[in-house]
Each structure stands twice: as C-alpha cells, then as structure tokens.
Amino acid sequence: MGSDSFINDVIWGLSDPQKHLPSKYFYDEKGSRIFQEIMQMEEYYLPKCEMEILNKQSQKIAMEINHDEFDIIELGAGDGTKTLIFLEAVMNIGKKITYIPMDISEEILKVNRQHILERLPDLSVEVLPGDYFSTIRAIESRPKPRLVMFMGSNIGNFPGEKAIEFIRFVNDYLNPGDYFLMGVDLKKNPHVIRAAYNDKKGITKKFNLNLLERINRELQGDFNLKAFEHYGVYNPLDGAALSFLVSMEEQDVHIADHTFHFDQYETIHTEVSQKYSLKDLDQLAIKTGFSWDRHFTDRMGFYSLSLFRK
Ligand code: AVJ
C-alpha cells in the first residue's frame, strides 16, 4: 500500500492493459480547489449529509464514547471546519480531549489549527503532517484512550478488499476500548449516486481532466485534454461508483521517455467511490476486528457516521 513516486505510479498505471491512475493524485493545488467546487455542487449531497449529522447528532455520538479523557486523531483532517462542530460537542459534555489532526498538507494543518483555536481556545491541538500510513504509527506511544476519525467518505476511495485492509491497519494501532468514527456514503437510489459524479456543469469532468493536466505540468506529458471525456457510472451490483477518462480518438501520449498508445474509446480508470449499506458496515466492523458498532444517519438515510469500538 506504500506510496510510490508520482512518475512511477503514472507509468505503472498507464502500462496496464486496463489503464488506471491513482485517485490520490487528484489533489494538487488546482485539484483541491476544484474539489471545493464539487463540495458546493447541487448534485454532490455527501458534505451536506455529513454536516447535518454532525450538527444534529454530535452530542449523541460523543456520549457513546466511554472515556472522560481521550485523544481524537483525525486522518486526512483538512481544514477541520466540520470536525469543529464535533469537538465542541465533546467538550460541552465535559470530556477532556486532545485533538490531533493528520494530513498530507502541512499548509492545511496550519489553517486547521488556527480555525480550531479561534473557536475553542482551551483545546489542546497537536498537528501531525504525513500520509495515513506514516502518521497513524505515531499514535502508538500515546497512553490515553483514543478515537480515530476518518471523515468525508474517504474510505470510499479504497476498492473492495483494500478498505478492509486499511481499517484493519488502523485497528492494529488501537487498544481494546478505543473507537473509530468513519463518514460513509450509503447505497441509495442509483440515479442519485450517478448524478453526484456526473454534474451538469462539468465540474467533475474538470476534476478528472486535471489529473492529465497535472501529468502534463509536473511530468512533461503531452496529453491533449480535448481528446478525453469524463464517464461516471454506478454499479448497484457491488456498490461502486467508478470514474473514467475516455480517449475519443486513437492517439499516442508521451510522458518522460515513455509512449502510451490509446485506441479510440480506450479508458483510464481514475477513481472508485464505494458505497455501503448499514448491513455492509456491520460486516465490515466484524471483518476488521471491532466488536461493536453503531450508525448515525441523516434524515434522508443517504450517509452514515459509523462508530466502531474495539
Ligand atoms: C473525497 C473521495 C469522498 O469519492 O466522493 C468527488 C472524491 N470524486 N467527486 C468521492 C470525488 C469525484 C470524493 N471523496
């Protein structure tokens, strides 16, 4: 699972008979800006649902944590805007916490820290930059009970068994009595899911194409962006929403000293956004070594904050 370099991952992915690129490379500066636009989109219900649950049920979730004093570790914390609501609720019921936001971007962690301390000046915040795998190891030496948070449906980007592997990996760093809180997008009307990844304004298309643009910029590639279209599907059989870029003509693309041939209509698979049912999540909790779970959903039943206890 360890991350390789951008160039190696790109060459590896485009050399496969079914071409693919890792979705983690969407988020350069421009990609992160486009993702902010996605989160504002009418069709992209996920952030609205997560926000509703946090606004209405944070206290209920906080009351489930059987510790008076604990660490809250957030994987991929971003700017912490949403987490703030939850942290406030935890503090309001008198629990003593330390907040440890982890993220790839040191910049965003500075923003996060400022943000949180403006609203909660008494909270102790210890930022931890790095990827999921290197940062989670750092919690091992901390003696207090913990709650690890993984929000925003980021778990969806791990295809099938990889999600299980990842949660098991997190579980390995927890002690009995520790908790894992995960934001998960639920299986629902397939039309609703499909629309979330096929918006009318073409923002999701722009988000996908930016990956090719980034390859052009950073790896001196020569992708002709006009020759690619975005294609998003949802498959109810396995609950996976998949994104592709489709080559609309036969063409060669050069990256570093490599040449990649595309037949007309050949695709690059760029992303998996896995959806789960509440039953799937109960199974997932058991398979990943947790002994108890509980789900907090929005009024539409679109999204869940699922709490697992080891
Ligand atoms: C940030 C992984 C939750 O899969 O829904 C949004 C990314 N991709 N639109 C998702 C994304 C296309 C998003 N996650």
Side-chain angles (χ1 to χ4, degrees):
M1 277 199 265
S3 71
D4 223 338
S5 66
F6 186 29
I7 180 79
N8 288 347
D9 285 347
V10 166
I11 289 168
W12 172 254
L14 294 182
S15 302
D16 215 27
Q18 169 60 63
K19 294 178 171 63
H20 52 87
L21 291 168
S23 55
K24 66 176 174 185
Y25 294 116
F26 279 137
Y27 305 91
D28 65 346
E29 218 182 290
K30 185 170 175 195
S32 301
R33 269 208 311 277
I34 304 171
F35 184 61
Q36 293 302 318
E37 283 182 62
I38 287 179
M39 295 213 287
Q40 307 289 327
M41 281 167 14
E42 187 61 46
E43 296 95 334
Y44 197 67
Y45 54 85
L46 289 76
K48 296 178 237 353
C49 295
E50 191 170 75
M51 201 60 164
E52 181 195 318
I53 303 165
L54 285 168
N55 277 322
K56 292 194 183 155
Q57 304 192 65
S58 276
Q59 179 167 344
K60 212 161 119 193
I61 300 170
M63 305 250 265
E64 289 287 347
I65 315 277
N66 274 327
H67 304 288
D68 296 327
E69 200 173 332
F70 57 99
D71 289 337
I72 296 184
I73 296 120
E74 184 175 15
L75 302 173
D79 68 6
T81 326
K82 285 190 218 160
T83 318
L84 182 61
I85 301 165
F86 180 69
L87 296 173
E88 210 165 3
V90 176
M91 290 177 84
N92 280 341
I93 58 171
K95 310 226 178 212
K96 196 164 177 285
I97 51 171
T98 300
Y99 175 51
I100 304 150
M102 300 175 167
D103 204 284
I104 281 275
S105 160
E106 263 189 92
E107 278 310 301
I108 200 82
L109 285 177
K110 276 185 204 150
V111 176
N112 179 308
R113 190 164 190 283
Q114 259 182 5
H115 231 106
I116 300 282
L117 288 178
E118 260 168 42
R119 273 290 283 278
L120 303 169
D122 297 333
L123 179 62
S124 75
V125 180
E126 298 177 23
V127 305
L128 204 53
D131 67 27
Y132 300 146
F133 303 96
S134 64
T135 52
I136 192 104
R137 297 195 162 90
I139 74 172
E140 228 180 353
S141 58
R142 306 185 66 98
K144 285 184 193 157
R146 25 182 119 86
L147 164 67
V148 174
M149 296 174 71
F150 192 44
M151 305 293 278
S153 184
N154 284 323
I155 190 66
N157 277 170
F158 292 96
E161 290 289 313
K162 294 280 177 207
I164 297 175
E165 270 175 46
F166 179 70
I167 301 171
R168 269 195 196 135
F169 165 78
V170 173
N171 181 293
D172 277 345
Y173 288 87
L174 301 180
N175 295 319
D178 286 350
Y179 295 82
F180 181 53
L181 181 68
M182 182 168 65
V184 192
D185 195 21
L186 298 176
K187 289 177 177 166
K188 61 181 66 60
N189 184 337
H191 291 291
V192 173
I193 297 175
R194 193 185 176 281
Y197 298 93
N198 286 282
D199 62 292
K200 290 215 181 68
K201 287 189 190 150
I203 298 168
T204 310
K205 175 182 180 179
K206 194 167 66 171
F207 183 64
N208 272 270
L209 282 175
N210 177 59
L211 193 48
L212 305 188
E213 232 181 293
R214 182 177 180 186
I215 293 171
N216 286 352
R217 270 197 304 272
E218 292 181 24
L219 307 175
Q220 287 74 50
D222 64 357
F223 274 108
N224 172 14
L225 302 188
K226 291 195 183 70
F228 286 87
E229 276 187 9
H230 163 72
Y231 180 66
V233 271
Y234 173 64
N235 180 357
L237 282 180
D238 63 358
L242 305 177
S243 292
F244 298 91
L245 288 163
V246 188
S247 173
M248 297 311 287
E249 53 194 56
E250 185 180 2
Q251 55 183 320
D252 284 324
V253 173
H254 307 92
I255 301 163
D257 50 1
H258 295 254
T259 302
F260 299 101
H261 181 77
F262 287 80
D263 290 332
Q264 190 181 29
Y265 306 135
E266 194 175 341
T267 60
I268 309 172
H269 178 211
T270 55
E271 192 175 35
V272 182
S273 301
Q274 182 66 40
K275 312 306 172 193
Y276 293 89
S277 68
L278 295 182
K279 274 186 196 152
D280 294 336
L281 289 167
D282 290 339
Q283 286 298 317
L284 192 61
I286 292 165
K287 280 188 197 154
T288 54
F290 291 89
S291 59
W292 173 100
D293 70 346
R294 183 156 179 211
H295 312 293
F296 303 85
T297 59
D298 61 300
R299 66 187 190 289
M300 302 285 284
F302 277 10
Y303 195 92
S304 175
L305 288 188
S306 291
L307 185 65
F308 295 2
R309 185 173 62 215
K310 180 158 171 169

